[in-house]
Amino acid sequence: MLIERIYDEDLAQASYLIGCQRKGEAVVVDPRRDIDVYRKLAAANGMKIVAVTETHIHADYLSGTRELAAATGAAMYVSGEGGPDWQYGFDAGRLYDGGTITIGNITIKALHTPGHTPEHLSFLVTDGAFSDQPGYLLSGDFVFSGDLGRPDLLDEAAGGVNTRFAGAKQLFASLRDKFLTLPDYVQVHPGHGAGSACGKALGAIPSSTVGYERLYAWWGPYLAANDEQGFIDELLDGQPDAHAYFGRMKRENRQGPAIMGERAPLQELDAETVAQDLARNAVTFVDTRHHERVHEGTVAGALNIPAGKSTASFGAWAVDPERDSRPLVLLAANQEQAQDMWDHLVRVGLDAVAGYVTGLEGLPAATPRVIQPEELEGFDRSLLLDVRNRTEHAAGNIPGSAQLSGGRVLWNLDQLPTGGPIVSYCQSGVRNSVAASVLRNQGYDVVELDGSYAGWAAWSARQQSMESVSAS
């Protein structure tokens, strides 16, 4: 048997390929939409992908189940659990608690493990060539290394009202009645790692075991003592802000994401054409450089979506395709980098990319306004906007600042400070540059605090030290 983990650092998301070498067949669990990685992996191992499935209706990325099935002819399987409100809207085989997918000697058994979502499934894998007992659990967003899938996303991002409490109760029951009944040696392969917003304290290690989680996860003592209320209180406390785009992911994943098919390579565009399109407001320009480079000069109205491991995440903060259908023009060093960025963007449903340019020459220029910490004295503190998470803001902030996390700014413009230019900051400047570019693109006057909170805190400490020396 082969189990391969395919990990996306951008979204801290894991998908899996389970293969039977004897039969030459494979099943993919929780795929993303840029599917070449699965086809290449299967081909490298002499396998054909015959089935594709997913653990639940995802909120943080757009599922590649339909995309992969269309490209390979694989059968699709999705959860049939969760009741009438949580049924998928596209044609696929339904899996219920105890249902199985079989390839060769391998049995993949669905376990209904609600809590993170009502329809959530985990997959218990048995390699019949070695044992008649299960050895592996693909736990999706149920159990992570050291943590659990948050049960409040339906409230935070999908329009639910107080569903978190029922979800937390379901998680407690799923742990007690399903997870903790498994042998300690069963390996646990979760759907996310550190950095995901689907939990509050995810570990960075890629896998665990039932026994290790039983002994050392934060929730273990609550289950051992059958303390349901203590578990619920701890689980719901301190969860990070949910990004606003999660609601769109839920809707699209439930109905079935659009199938892109084979995408033609992105083409390099000439500056004159892009400048004309920008003048007609027909495209949106994406500056993909580090924010310090952007501060030296960019394109008027450009969004800053840095190239790198967070392209999909920041792209979903900055662009809402349900409101704005204009295609994106990417700034890229070459075609390869542009194509890589596009792969990341389609993971969150940002499919419309017109092409790329390799420089800014010939495009309408603008220079973002940036101030130093000592210049804050000239601004009304009520105009300060902290775009970090609420937990970060609560742990320490610039006095007088309002908080609205960067992943929620575009959807909550009515919550912005008013009465003058907004002065925005995050922790170090990266998230702030993304959020500030979104606001400028929407027509707001925004000033970025250089160094953000870390820069201000260091400057403030120096000031206090100097005052202390002067006083002595």
Side-chain angles (χ1 to χ4, degrees), residues 236-405:
L236 296 179
D237 182 56
Q239 290 288 356
D241 292 341
H243 306 315
Y245 83 89
F246 282 7
R248 175 170 61 86
M249 297 292 95
K250 277 287 186 187
R251 292 190 296 274
E252 293 191 32
N253 281 326
R254 182 177 177 183
Q255 292 307 312
I259 297 173
M260 299 179 294
E262 296 294 335
R263 289 176 288 146
L266 287 178
Q267 299 300 306
E268 184 175 358
L269 306 174
D270 65 90
E272 182 179 356
T273 299
V274 174
Q276 292 172 354
D277 287 342
L278 287 170
R280 293 188 298 110
N281 204 28
V283 297
T284 298
F285 191 84
V286 177
D287 194 329
T288 64
R289 299 173 299 164
H290 188 275
H291 65 278
E292 291 180 356
R293 295 288 308 281
V294 173
H295 291 167
E296 295 171 1
T298 186
V299 171
L303 297 173
N304 181 209
I305 304 174
K309 72 173 189 176
S310 298
T311 299
S313 305
F314 289 146
W317 289 17
V319 182
D320 180 3
E322 293 184 328
R323 304 182 188 190
D324 188 350
S325 60
R326 291 176 296 173
L328 307 178
V329 174
L330 308 178
L331 176 63
N334 49 47
Q335 199 274 339
E336 182 181 4
Q337 186 191 46
Q339 203 73 28
D340 181 67
M341 285 199 67
W342 195 18
D343 284 347
H344 282 247
L345 293 173
V346 300
R347 296 172 197 172
V348 289
L350 305 184
D351 302 352
V353 177
Y356 70 97
V357 296
T358 58
L360 304 182
E361 186 176 352
L363 302 178
T367 302
R369 187 179 175 191
V370 180
I371 63 169
Q372 301 302 312
E374 57 267 25
E375 297 179 82
L376 270 182
E377 299 305 317
F379 289 85
D380 184 345
R381 289 295 179 97
S382 68
L383 298 174
L384 276 170
L385 179 66
D386 185 342
V387 299
R388 300 176 299 167
N389 285 320
R390 57 184 173 229
T391 51
E392 294 175 280
H393 182 80
N397 60 77
I398 301 177
S401 60
Q403 185 272 331
L404 180 60
S405 63

Side-chain angles (χ1 to χ4, degrees), residues 1-186:
M1 184 182 74
L2 174 74
I3 293 184
E4 287 281 354
R5 175 179 183 256
I6 300 94
Y7 195 69
D8 175 13
E9 296 282 354
D10 191 331
L11 296 164
Q13 182 265 332
S15 49
Y16 295 89
L17 183 144
I18 304 171
C20 174
Q21 290 102 331
R22 180 180 63 82
K23 196 167 185 183
E25 293 181 346
V27 176
V28 176
V29 180
D30 286 336
R32 62 195 195 217
R33 286 176 87 217
D34 52 316
I35 59 172
D36 279 353
V37 62
Y38 309 109
R39 292 191 288 188
K40 289 177 180 177
L41 183 57
N45 287 277
M47 294 178 180
K48 178 183 178 182
I49 297 171
V50 297
V52 55
T53 187
E54 55 191 63
T55 52
H56 65 294
I57 301 172
H58 297 283
D60 54 318
Y61 73 102
L62 211 53
S63 168
T65 293
R66 296 184 75 225
E67 194 74 37
L68 188 56
T72 63
M76 289 187 292
Y77 298 93
V78 296
S79 175
E81 297 282 2
D85 293 336
W86 291 97
Q87 296 302 302
Y88 284 81
F90 60 91
D91 230 3
R94 294 311 197 249
L95 286 171
Y96 299 90
D97 189 50
T100 59
I101 301 171
T102 302
I103 51 170
N105 290 321
I106 300 169
T107 302
I108 303 167
K109 180 181 177 181
L111 300 181
H112 183 213
T113 49
H116 176 66
T117 61
E119 81 292 351
H120 193 285
L121 300 177
S122 298
F123 293 107
L124 196 58
V125 183
T126 301
D127 183 359
F130 288 91
S131 172
D132 61 356
Q133 297 300 310
Y136 313 88
L137 181 74
L138 273 58
S139 58
D141 288 22
F142 169 35
V143 175
F144 301 129
S145 294
D147 202 9
L148 301 170
R150 59 191 295 182
D152 63 322
L153 277 186
L154 304 184
D155 289 351
E156 292 289 318
V161 178
N162 290 332
T163 63
R164 65 190 70 201
F165 302 108
K169 285 178 174 288
Q170 288 177 327
L171 266 178
F172 188 86
S174 292
L175 287 167
R176 180 191 61 209
D177 301 336
K178 296 288 178 66
F179 188 79
L180 292 179
T181 64
L182 299 173
D184 282 349
Y185 59 77
V186 170

